[in-house]
Amino acid sequence: MTSRGPFQSHPFCDSVKFHFSTECILEPLSLPESPGGVDAVESSPDVPCIFCEECYVLAEQNQLLKHMIIEHKLVIADVKLVADFRSYILYWKRRFAEQPITDFCSVIRTNSKAPLEEQDNYFLLCDVLPEDRLLREELQQKRLRKILEQQQQERYDTSFHGMCMFCDQEFTGNRAVLLNHMAREHAFNIGLPDNIVNCYEFLAVLQGKLDNLQCLYCEKIFRDKNTLKDHMRKKQHRRINAKNKEYDKFYIINYLEFGKSWEEVQSEDDRELLDNLEEDWSDWEEHPVCAVCLFCEQQADTTEKLYLHMQKSHGFHFPKIKSEHGLNFYQQVKLVNFIRREIHHCRCYNCQEKFQSKGGLISHMEETKHIAFLPARSTWDQPQYYFPTYENDTLLCTLSDSEDVITEDQSEEVPVVSEDISSLKALKQNSVLNQLLCKENKSQGKC
């Protein structure tokens, strides 16, 4: 036998060396978990029952809830307000595997007066439990962050491409171009673009309803496209039905507050406005009126101070003139506007003389006493003076009616409209408009 050194090869050693190099295990192995393991459940797109191996697709959420009530006596409160139903169920599946259900749920006993064998215990899982409320809030915040990121992406997206649902015109660029077009050209307003999320899906849902000949507002089905268009136009149904919960997921407002829909948020805003009306306003400090004199730039915070100024500085006694002429509110308005217009044109409202400056006009009117007397009523009591000379004339807002003095001229000029319509035929024959029409026809030889 030939001796071999320590570094010489041996057939057996070569064989071992070959197998070691090709089949060695450098990391510990793991046996596969059973099909019902937590990892397998979480990786599945389905939603599992909290207690057993039953699974349902997410769209069959109500079937799962029904199963848990009937088979396991579990009731989940306000489930429609859970932001992520699947994550919610998976969380409580883990927690119920760790601790008894009675550690988390309130027990509701039914048929409590019946024999013991006929009584049932139901378990209520709701956000009264701090852990459940915290979970719901975390899921809502997670969804809100995701929705806001999506909305931000859509807001600045310039690759949008869509077609108008009413005129088949195509739009590219930003979604706001299409939404604004439908609102402006077709009176179809689904809200501000910045308040909408998942716009592509939203428009697809609406287009699908129209393709199925369904009105977007009353949701009735029609026999053809033209009938549907006429119905939506005539009935002003070019809008969506706000009560349809299908649209809630397309509006940011429905994601903002935990456990609240847009209707609840909006009603809270309305209640806040109503509550504010009942607040104590005793400490409210109203800004002064600051009415301006008819003849100069002097201002006063009350009409009494302004009237006193005009009487002492200019010799114009407005309350006296109002009383002597029996001016009602509208006549006072016309008088103020008339005087302001004449002063603006630097023209004396009594002698009609014009001046180069307002100072020269006021000096003339004060020296000649023209400022204290009004011209003939027909000069200023004209419809054109219903319109303010100055749009911010506060004095007009402080005028009051003269209820104590009614002159004969005033009583004759107040129009009286008959409310006796017992005889419509006689009313038509004696109508002022009928008399005016007859006079017009006489002038043309027709009556």
Side-chain angles (χ1 to χ4, degrees):
M1 178 178 290
T2 305
S3 63
R4 297 178 181 270
F7 298 102
Q8 289 183 306
S9 173
H10 190 279
F12 178 76
C13 294
D14 292 341
S15 175
V16 171
K17 187 186 299 182
F18 173 77
H19 285 286
F20 180 80
S21 62
T22 57
E23 297 182 2
C24 64
I25 299 175
L26 302 180
E27 295 180 359
L29 304 179
S30 297
L31 294 173
E33 293 190 5
S34 62
V38 175
D39 291 341
V41 170
E42 292 189 356
S43 63
S44 170
D46 296 338
V47 184
C49 171
I50 291 179
F51 303 96
C52 65
E53 303 303 320
E54 287 286 328
C55 287
Y56 296 81
V57 296
L58 190 58
E60 297 178 350
Q61 171 181 319
N62 290 335
Q63 294 299 321
L64 173 58
L65 295 173
K66 180 180 178 181
H67 163 79
M68 290 192 293
I69 290 176
I70 295 174
E71 299 297 331
H72 307 289
K73 312 299 182 185
L74 176 68
V75 179
I76 301 177
D78 295 323
V79 69
K80 62 183 174 115
L81 300 179
V82 175
D84 186 344
F85 179 72
R86 185 173 181 277
S87 298
Y88 181 84
I89 293 296
L90 290 174
Y91 176 87
W92 284 117
K93 185 176 182 68
R94 287 194 297 269
R95 294 293 285 130
F96 285 176
E98 297 169 355
Q99 293 178 234
I101 188 174
T102 51
D103 289 353
F104 306 104
C105 297
S106 303
V107 180
I108 302 174
R109 177 167 296 176
T110 61
N111 299 328
S112 58
K113 295 184 179 180
L116 188 62
E117 61 273 9
E118 297 180 9
Q119 296 180 9
D120 280 323
N121 288 336
Y122 284 84
F123 303 97
L124 177 64
L125 181 61
C126 63
D127 60 2
V128 173
L129 179 70
E131 184 177 352
D132 184 87
R133 182 169 184 83
L134 182 61
L135 172 62
R136 293 181 184 227
E137 289 177 350
E138 288 178 352
L139 293 176
Q140 191 271 339
Q141 289 297 323
K142 182 179 178 181
R143 182 181 67 173
L144 178 59
R145 286 193 296 269
K146 183 178 179 181
I147 287 295
L148 289 176
E149 289 174 2
Q150 174 68 21
Q151 192 244 11
Q152 193 76 353
Q153 178 184 349
E154 293 181 11
R155 177 185 292 180
Y156 297 106
D157 180 27
T158 57
S159 62
F160 176 85
H161 179 271
M163 183 176 293
C164 176
M165 295 183 288
F166 302 98
C167 67
D168 295 335
Q169 183 176 347
E170 292 189 14
F171 293 88
T172 58
N174 190 271
R175 59 179 184 163
V177 181
L178 172 58
L179 298 180
N180 291 335
H181 161 79
M182 291 194 294
R184 182 177 60 253
E185 301 297 333
H186 305 288
F188 180 71
N189 189 359
I190 58 176
L192 295 174
D194 286 348
N195 295 338
I196 295 173
V197 68
N198 296 321
C199 188
Y200 270 117
E201 183 184 354
F202 194 8
L203 294 175
V205 169
L206 298 176
Q207 186 64 58
K209 291 180 181 292
L210 293 178
D211 292 342
N212 293 328
L213 305 178
Q214 184 179 24
C215 174
L216 298 177
Y217 181 71
C218 67
E219 302 182 343
K220 293 180 181 178
I221 304 295
F222 293 83
R223 64 176 181 271
D224 55 57
K225 195 171 184 179
N226 290 332
T227 306
L228 171 61
K229 283 185 175 181
D230 290 342
H231 162 80
M232 293 180 67
R233 176 177 55 83
K234 292 178 181 178
K235 297 291 186 180
Q236 297 183 349
H237 282 189
R238 283 188 175 178
R239 48 194 171 129
I240 63 173
N241 183 1
K243 299 296 183 181
N244 190 335
K245 302 298 182 183
E246 182 183 4
Y247 303 130
D248 285 358
K249 64 180 181 179
F250 302 117
Y251 291 93
I252 288 291
I253 190 174
N254 293 298
Y255 300 93
L256 296 182
E257 292 197 47
F258 166 67
K260 294 178 183 176
S261 65
W262 68 270
E263 292 173 306
E264 292 171 316
V265 173
Q266 194 173 56
S267 64
E268 283 185 355
D269 294 341
D270 294 340
R271 285 197 298 269
E272 184 177 350
L273 290 174
L274 293 174
D275 292 341
N276 289 340
L277 293 177
E278 299 175 0
E279 293 179 357
D280 183 15
W281 294 85
S282 59
D283 59 344
W284 174 264
E285 295 182 3
E286 188 174 0
H287 293 289
V289 175
C290 293
V292 182
C293 173
L294 292 172
F295 308 102
C296 67
E297 305 301 326
Q298 180 67 33
Q299 298 184 16
D301 56 2
T302 65
T303 53
E304 290 76 13
K305 292 179 180 179
L306 185 64
Y307 292 157
L308 185 61
H309 159 77
M310 288 192 291
Q311 180 184 355
K312 290 185 175 181
S313 300
H314 306 292
F316 184 82
H317 199 329
F318 190 87
K320 182 180 178 182
I321 292 174
K322 180 179 73 171
S323 178
E324 288 179 349
H325 292 269
L327 304 181
N328 61 28
F329 172 76
Y330 297 103
Q331 289 168 334
Q332 293 176 63
V333 168
K334 287 188 280 189
L335 178 60
V336 168
N337 290 330
F338 166 76
I339 294 176
R340 288 211 188 275
R341 188 169 302 182
E342 295 299 296
I343 300 300
H344 174 73
H345 291 301
C346 295
R347 183 169 54 220
C348 176
Y349 54 70
N350 259 304
C351 67
Q352 297 299 302
E353 184 179 352
K354 291 203 67 173
F355 293 83
Q356 295 296 323
S357 65
K358 186 183 291 186
L361 168 65
I362 300 303
S363 298
H364 158 78
M365 294 182 70
E366 291 175 353
E367 291 172 1
T368 59
K369 306 296 183 183
H370 286 181
I371 200 169
F373 303 99
L374 298 183
R377 184 185 293 265
S378 59
T379 305
W380 56 267
D381 196 358
Q382 299 293 331
Q384 60 180 320
Y385 296 116
Y386 276 126
F387 302 97
T389 303
Y390 299 101
E391 63 180 1
N392 58 341
D393 192 351
T394 310
L395 179 59
L396 296 174
C397 302
T398 63
L399 299 175
S400 59
D401 220 341
S402 293
E403 300 177 352
D404 53 340
V405 179
I406 299 179
T407 64
E408 183 179 351
D409 293 339
Q410 180 185 353
S411 62
E412 290 177 355
E413 291 178 359
V414 176
V416 179
V417 179
S418 172
E419 295 183 352
D420 183 9
I421 58 172
S422 58
S423 178
L424 290 176
K425 184 176 181 180
L427 185 61
K428 291 178 180 179
Q429 291 175 349
N430 298 326
S431 169
V432 175
L433 293 177
N434 191 38
Q435 295 174 13
L436 292 174
L437 182 60
C438 188
K439 287 181 182 180
E440 180 66 22
N441 290 335
K442 278 183 178 180
S443 65
Q444 299 178 5
K446 298 180 181 180
C447 182

